[in-house]
Structure formats: C-alpha cells, structure tokens
C-alpha cells in the first residue's frame, strides 16, 4: 500500500504539494489557537496565519529548491515563535516538511549544517521569548526532537532512493554487458567461419585450377596423364564439397533432427593427404619433422593444418618455382612451423597481404601463437609460425568439436 501511494504521489507532484500546503496551513492555524492555562498567548492570530501562509506557499518549491524553502520557512517560524505562540508540532509542520525535502534532495553535509542552524535558531527564539524556567523543557528540547524527525526520515528516503538507483544502474549495465558480449561472440563466430570458408575454398579451388590447367596442357600430347589429372580433379572438388558441408553445417541449429553428423576438424594427421593433393597440381612438397611429435590440443592441431594448407595454396597460386618445403619442429612446449618455396631473388612468391595471410595470423593469435610471413633474401617466400602445444583459449578448442 505504501509503495502504491508513493508511486501515485510521485506521478502527480504538483497536486500533491498543493494538498500538502493546504493541510499545513490548517495545521498552523490550529497550532496558533492552542493555549495552556497560565501561559499568556498573543490576542491576535492573523500575523501568525499570514506568516504560515507564506511558509505553506514556499512548500510548492521545496522539492526543487529545498535550501530556499528551509531559509524562508525558518524565518517565518522564528517570527511566529517570537510573537509568543506556543511551540508545538502543528506550528512547526511547514518547517518540518522543508527539512524533510532538504534531507532528501541535498548531500548529508548540507543537511546537517542547515538542520543544526535551523534548530538552534528556533530554540533560541523560543527561549528568548520566555527566559524563565516556565515550560523551558517544552521550548528547548521539544523543537529539537520534532525537527530531528524529518531530517532522519528524509535521510533514510535519500539512501533508499540512491540504493534503488544503484540497483537499476547495475541492472542496466549488466544488460548492456550481456548484449555486448553476445554481439562479440557472434562476431567471433562469424570471423571463425569466414576463415574456415576462405581456407577451404581458396585451397581446393587453387589446386583444382592447377590440375585443370595442367590437364589441358597435357591433353594433346599425353592424354592418359591428362585423364588421370581429371580424375584427381574430381577427387579435389569432392573433398572441397565435403569440407564446405562440414564448415557450413555448424550454422545448423543444434538439435535439428535433419542435421547430418559432421566430420571431425582436420589436423596434422591429414597432412599426407594435403601434400598428395598439392603434388597432383604439380607442386613438389617435402616435409621435415624435427623433435619427437607430441599431441596437440584440437584448436592448435586445426590451426597448424590450416596454416600449412593456406601457405601451400599461396605457393600453388603465386609461386615462381615448383617446389615447397614444410618443416615441423617440436621444441619444448611449442610447435614451430615453416613453409618455404623457391623463387627468384628479390621477387616474392606469395602476396604480401590479403585475407589469406590475415587469416593465418588471426588463427595463430587465437591459440596464443604468432606468425610471420615475407619474402626470403635468397628468393621465394616463407611463412613461419610458433604455436603452443595446447591452446591458451579453451573456447577455440570447443569451436573445433
């Protein structure tokens, strides 16, 4: 019920303030008429009622200008008390409301300072009007206690409002963070799929193009070799379709009953097949392994395979010579990969930029490794990568499953 009332009053602040002002005016009017036997009271009430009207009118701006409202109301209240009216909660009602809005709308230091000054001035006026011990307790301690109530209540209301605001701010921040994290994950997944598609399409199309060109060149003079290359071209395109199917298959919804099972992600165990495919395109590839081969995490295994695949693809498309060398060296906790090819001195045999090299660098960085690519002083091109045996990003390994 209290929460509903607060919401209702909060939606209509002007109407609420008008009703409160009229109610306070009635309280002060009633307070000026209270008297105690043996205690003299002013004969005319209209000065107090006029000052009370000013105090109540100021309350219409107390929400937005609490300091001004406290000052004006304090002055009016002190004059009423100095006129000899009995200090009661009814007489102090406008000042109590002003102090409440002061505690709600200002910082604690300002509230304590103005509150202390207000109570001191009101008590001084009440005691100065009747310096004798007559009703001394009512005129000194009473106003302090009554004026402390709105200060405490307003302070609690301010703390409650600040707490609610902080909770709402944290909730909004958490919502924005979740949305940003979701967008980031979507972007990372799109980038990963784009790398996979590029590696698969670029490699197989480059090999297929080389096989088709060689077959066309051999067809007039060596029809049997041309036919063999065409058969291998069919195998190459079939492999490309299978890998494309596996890569695009991750876009299918999980739990789809029509979704086909996907092949496992390729790794270094499929390196002989890759070398054989490149050799059918006329590229002579030598593989050298140094150190004892060790098991790799799925993400690193896929990254190593894709880097070698893309490097050999670049050799097939841009290489000036017909030979390439792949070197695998297991050193401590890292796998060092080097792919080089022959070429004329000073002439690069692979592009210095492009999506291929960019994708290789992204793959190496995603598992905590590094990659460098560039022309060799003696000619040709070299791609060198250093990968950890186990990925430093577990999500990369999960993405390959």
């Amino acid at each position: 019920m209290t929460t509903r009332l607060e919401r209702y009053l909060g939606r209509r602040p002007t109407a609420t303030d008008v009703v409160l002002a009229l109610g306070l005016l009635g309280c002060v009017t009633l307070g000026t008429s209270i008297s105690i036997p043996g205690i003299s009271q002013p004969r005319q009430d209209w000065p107090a009622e006029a000052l009370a009207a000013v105090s109540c009118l100021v309350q219409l701006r107390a929400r937005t200008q609490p300091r001004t409202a406290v000052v004006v109301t304090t002055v009016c209240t002190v004059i009423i008390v100095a006129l000899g009216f009995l200090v009661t909660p009814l007489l102090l009602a406008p000042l109590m409301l002003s102090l409440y809005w002061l505690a709600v709308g200002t910082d604690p230091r300002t509230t304590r300072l103005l509150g202390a000054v207000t109570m001191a001035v009101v008590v001084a006026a009440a005691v100065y009007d009747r310096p004798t011990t007559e009703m001394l307790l009512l005129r000194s301690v009473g106003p302090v206690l009554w004026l402390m109530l709105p200060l405490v209540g307003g302070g609690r209301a301010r703390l409650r409002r600040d707490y609610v605001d902080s909770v709402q701010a944290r909730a909004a921040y958490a919502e924005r963070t979740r949305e940003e994290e979701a967008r980031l994950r979507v972007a990372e997944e799109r980038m990963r799929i784009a790398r996979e598609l590029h590696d698969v399409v670029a490699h197989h199309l480059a090999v297929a193009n080389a096989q088709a060109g060689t077959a066309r060149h051999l067809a007039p003079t060596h029809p049997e070799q041309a036919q063999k290359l065409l058969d291998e071209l069919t195998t190459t395109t079939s492999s490309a379709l299978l890998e494309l199917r596996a890569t695009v298959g991750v876009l299918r919804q999980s739990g789809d009953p029509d979704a086909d099972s996907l092949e496992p992600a390729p790794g270094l165990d499929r390196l002989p097949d890759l070398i054989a495919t490149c050799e059918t395109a006329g590229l002579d590839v030598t593989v050298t392994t140094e150190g004892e081969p060790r098991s790799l995490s799925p993400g690193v295994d896929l990254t190593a395979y894709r880097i070698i695949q893309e490097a050999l693809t670049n050799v097939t498309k841009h290489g000036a010579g017909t030979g390439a060398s792949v070197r695998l060296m297991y050193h401590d906790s890292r796998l060092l990969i080097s792919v080089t090819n022959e070429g004329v001195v000073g002439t690069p045999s692979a592009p210095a930029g492009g999506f291929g090299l960019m994708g290789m660098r992204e793959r190496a960085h995603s598992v905590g490794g590094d990659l460098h690519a560039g022309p060799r002083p003696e000619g040709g091109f070299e791609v060198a990568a250093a990968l950890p045996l186990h990925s430093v990003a577990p999500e990369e390994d999960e993405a390959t499953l």
Side-chain angles (χ1 to χ4, degrees), residues 73-323:
T73 308
T74 300
V75 172
C76 295
T77 303
V78 168
I79 295 175
I80 294 174
V81 173
L83 291 176
F85 290 95
L86 186 64
V87 182
T88 63
L90 294 176
L91 194 67
L92 297 176
L95 183 55
M96 293 172 67
L97 182 60
S98 298
L99 291 176
Y100 174 83
W101 290 123
L102 177 71
V104 171
T106 60
D107 58 279
R109 184 175 181 275
T110 302
T111 300
R112 288 193 297 267
L113 179 60
L114 285 181
V117 172
T118 299
M119 287 186 288
V121 172
V122 172
V123 171
V127 174
Y128 178 80
D129 178 60
R130 298 179 187 273
T132 62
T133 58
E134 182 183 19
M135 304 294 293
L136 181 61
L137 185 64
L138 179 62
R139 290 180 173 272
S140 58
V141 179
V144 174
L145 296 178
W146 296 326
L147 295 179
M148 282 288 294
L149 292 176
L151 292 175
V152 174
R156 291 175 62 86
R158 185 189 67 251
L159 292 176
R160 179 183 177 187
R161 181 196 60 195
D162 294 343
Y163 173 74
V164 173
D165 292 344
S166 65
V167 170
Q168 292 176 348
R170 287 196 298 269
Y173 176 77
E175 184 65 24
R176 290 195 302 270
T177 303
R178 285 195 294 268
E179 293 176 356
E180 293 174 0
E181 183 178 357
R183 288 195 295 267
L184 180 61
R185 287 187 176 275
V186 170
E188 291 176 349
E189 183 65 13
R190 291 177 59 185
M191 183 65 67
R192 187 182 69 83
I193 295 174
R195 287 197 302 262
E196 289 292 324
L197 290 175
H198 175 272
D199 292 346
V200 171
V201 172
H203 170 71
H204 288 289
L205 285 184
V207 173
N209 180 69
Q211 290 173 335
T214 304
R216 183 181 61 180
H217 177 73
L218 295 177
T221 58
H222 301 81
E224 294 182 357
Q225 295 183 8
Q227 183 61 41
K228 181 180 179 181
L229 285 175
L230 291 177
D231 294 338
E232 293 174 347
L233 177 61
T234 302
T235 303
T236 301
T237 54
S238 299
S239 300
L241 291 175
L242 288 176
E243 288 205 38
L244 282 175
R245 181 183 180 187
T247 303
V248 178
V250 301
L251 300 178
R252 301 289 296 271
Q253 295 181 358
S254 60
D256 188 346
D258 296 330
D260 298 329
S261 59
L262 304 180
E263 294 184 354
L268 292 181
D269 58 332
R270 292 177 55 180
L271 187 58
D273 297 335
L274 176 63
I275 301 303
T277 303
C278 293
E279 289 178 347
T280 60
L283 182 65
D284 185 16
V285 182
T286 59
V287 180
T288 304
T289 302
E290 300 181 9
E292 183 180 356
R294 279 170 272 178
S295 61
L296 306 174
S297 64
V300 177
D301 200 15
L302 173 62
T303 298
Y305 177 85
R306 290 303 190 195
I307 289 176
I308 297 174
Q309 181 187 52
E310 179 62 24
L312 293 179
T313 300
N314 287 337
V315 174
T316 304
K317 293 190 297 183
H318 308 285
T322 60

